[in-house]
């Protein structure tokens, strides 16, 4: 298969577009991108994993690329519970009882949510950046250190009408600037960025991004259909499945701290690895490190 092969499946509220690599009878792995990225982040990692006999499924999240809502009436929510519910529905629709999950940023959040709430569905978790990526919305009002707050400028920008207009009118320039800030040592070219930036033309992209960054601060309501999931996430549930956390040394928005603040949230087998030369988009910047971690948890290391 090539990246020109695109599949779609109805799952929950969405028709999810995804790419698939590797043997159909291989151990499944679902690889999930973040904002502002898309499925192309896994070009190299998925190809290598497929050679190891792993079945890789790489979906486009809600609001990105060809993924679409089934109903115009559905709330265009970007809240964390929606991302987790989408992932679970995707696995159900494909008949995947258990899979390795890997992701970063929004995709890492979806993977962490399913691993925490439905651990029987997860063989192993690779979480990049924030290892425990479940938002603690009830405490989101508490300020961080000033230098951390400064790195969240885009979140505050998206709380304003000016920020919404900027995302609507200048989304390609804005997201490219974010790439450069979050991955300062990654020398991506125009073609690499353009291949992903097309996914930002999704008609729901702006609405979902704005909702994501306002909901996480408790400033707007979520989709009522996900209230039960949000209530469970508010308890900050532990992750019990075998997990590997990968953090890029050069991550411009989630730089690794000396102290491992994620560790208390993991009750099962756990490793933390700091990856040199990687920024926020770790699977695309250092695909071998990411793919190796997935293969280890899948039991397919050659």
């Amino acid at each position: 298969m090539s990246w020109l092969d695109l599949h779609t499946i109805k799952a929950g509220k969405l028709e999810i577009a995804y790419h698939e690599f590797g043997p159909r009878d291989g151990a499944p792995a679902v690889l999930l991108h973040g904002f502002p990225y898309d499925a192309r982040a896994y070009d190299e990692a998925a190809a290598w994993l497929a050679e190891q006999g792993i079945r890789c499924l790489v979906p486009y999240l809600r609001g990105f690329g060809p993924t679409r809502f089934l109903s115009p009436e559905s709330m265009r929510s970007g809240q964390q519970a929606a991302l987790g519910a989408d992932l679970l529905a995707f696995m159900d629709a494909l008949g995947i009882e258990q899979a390795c999950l890997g992701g970063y940023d929004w995709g890492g959040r979806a993977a962490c949510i399913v691993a925490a709430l439905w651990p029987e569905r997860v063989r192993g978790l690779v979480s990049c950046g924030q290892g425990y990526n479940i938002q603690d919305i009830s405490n989101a009002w508490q300020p961080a250190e000033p230098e951390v707050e400064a790195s969240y400028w885009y979140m505050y920008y998206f709380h304003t009408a000016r920020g919404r207009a900027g995302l609507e009118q200048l989304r390609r320039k804005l997201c490219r600037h974010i790439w450069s800030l979050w991955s300062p040592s990654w020398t991506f070219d125009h073609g690499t960025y353009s291949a992903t930036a097309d996914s930002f033309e999704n008609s729901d992209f702006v609405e979902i991004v704005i909702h994501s960054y306002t909901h996480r601060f408790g400033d707007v309501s979520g989709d009522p259909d996900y209230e039960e999931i949000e209530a469970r996430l508010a308890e900050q549930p532990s992750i019990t499945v075998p997990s590997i956390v990968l953090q890029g040394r050069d991550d411009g928005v989630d730089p690794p701290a000396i102290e491992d603040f994620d560790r208390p949230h993991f009750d099962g087998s756990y490793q933390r690895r700091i990856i040199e030369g990687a920024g926020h988009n770790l699977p695309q910047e250092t695909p071998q490190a990411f793919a190796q971690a997935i293969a280890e948890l899948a039991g397919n290391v050659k």
Side-chain angles (χ1 to χ4, degrees):
M1 286 186 183
S2 74
W3 282 95
L4 297 177
D5 296 316
L6 185 70
H7 307 272
T8 61
I9 192 165
K10 293 181 180 179
K13 296 188 177 189
L14 304 173
E15 182 176 68
I16 297 178
Y18 68 99
H19 301 287
E20 180 173 352
F21 296 92
R24 288 292 178 91
D25 60 350
V30 184
L31 313 179
L32 301 134
H33 69 84
F35 166 85
Y37 309 95
D38 79 344
R40 298 305 302 268
Y42 294 102
D43 279 11
E44 293 184 42
W48 185 86
L49 287 167
E51 292 177 355
Q52 312 310 304
I54 295 174
R55 180 189 182 194
C56 292
L57 302 154
V58 190
Y60 292 83
L61 300 187
R62 55 171 56 202
F64 291 79
T67 289
R68 294 291 184 269
F69 281 85
L70 296 173
S71 170
E73 305 302 319
S74 294
M75 181 178 178
R76 271 42 177 178
S77 170
Q79 70 193 95
Q80 61 175 350
L83 301 177
D86 291 347
L87 173 54
L88 189 66
F90 179 67
M91 293 174 65
D92 287 344
L94 287 170
I96 297 173
E97 294 184 4
Q98 189 180 63
C100 284
L101 303 180
Y104 65 106
D105 200 87
W106 290 21
R109 183 163 299 119
C112 283
I113 289 169
V114 173
L117 301 186
W118 297 280
E120 71 280 1
R121 305 297 298 273
V122 182
R123 181 169 181 172
L125 168 71
V126 176
S127 180
C128 305
Q130 288 186 350
Y132 184 78
N133 206 345
I134 298 174
Q135 295 161 347
D136 185 7
I137 295 175
S138 65
N139 288 308
W141 61 271
Q142 295 186 11
E145 293 298 318
E147 61 271 20
V148 175
E149 294 283 11
S151 71
Y152 292 161
W153 63 270
Y154 61 99
M155 296 189 190
Y156 306 129
Y157 184 52
F158 292 153
H159 274 69
T160 68
R162 183 184 180 100
R164 184 187 183 97
L167 186 62
E168 179 70 53
Q169 300 170 24
L170 301 169
R171 69 187 74 180
R172 286 183 176 250
K173 289 183 178 180
L174 175 58
C175 292
R176 194 184 194 286
H177 182 59
I178 289 174
W179 275 34
S180 66
L181 293 179
W182 292 358
S183 299
S185 56
W186 183 34
T187 55
F188 60 90
D189 59 24
H190 176 74
T192 298
Y193 178 70
S194 294
T196 285
D198 288 343
S199 284
F200 310 153
E201 300 303 324
N202 185 302
S203 60
D204 297 313
F205 177 76
V206 172
E207 194 71 29
I208 287 173
V209 170
I210 296 299
H211 186 263
S212 172
Y213 287 105
T214 50
H215 181 272
R216 68 183 62 195
F217 283 95
D219 293 334
V220 297
S221 298
D223 187 328
D225 291 344
Y226 302 126
E227 284 183 1
E228 181 181 352
I229 297 176
E230 286 290 356
R232 296 176 68 187
L233 297 176
E235 298 176 359
Q236 296 288 276
S238 295
I239 294 174
T240 59
V241 306
S243 301
I244 298 174
V245 169
L246 303 178
Q247 297 181 319
R249 178 74 71 188
D250 301 333
D251 193 326
V253 68
D254 287 321
I258 296 175
E259 182 179 350
D260 187 354
F261 295 104
D262 294 313
R263 183 66 184 90
H265 294 285
F266 290 85
D267 288 344
S269 170
Y270 174 87
Q271 295 182 49
R272 180 201 193 202
R273 302 174 185 174
I274 308 299
I275 308 302
E276 301 295 335
H280 193 63
N281 187 12
L282 191 147
Q284 191 164 7
E285 297 174 58
T286 53
Q288 191 60 45
F290 176 86
Q292 185 73 19
I294 289 285
E296 289 177 29
L297 293 175
N300 284 53
V301 179
K302 295 184 179 179

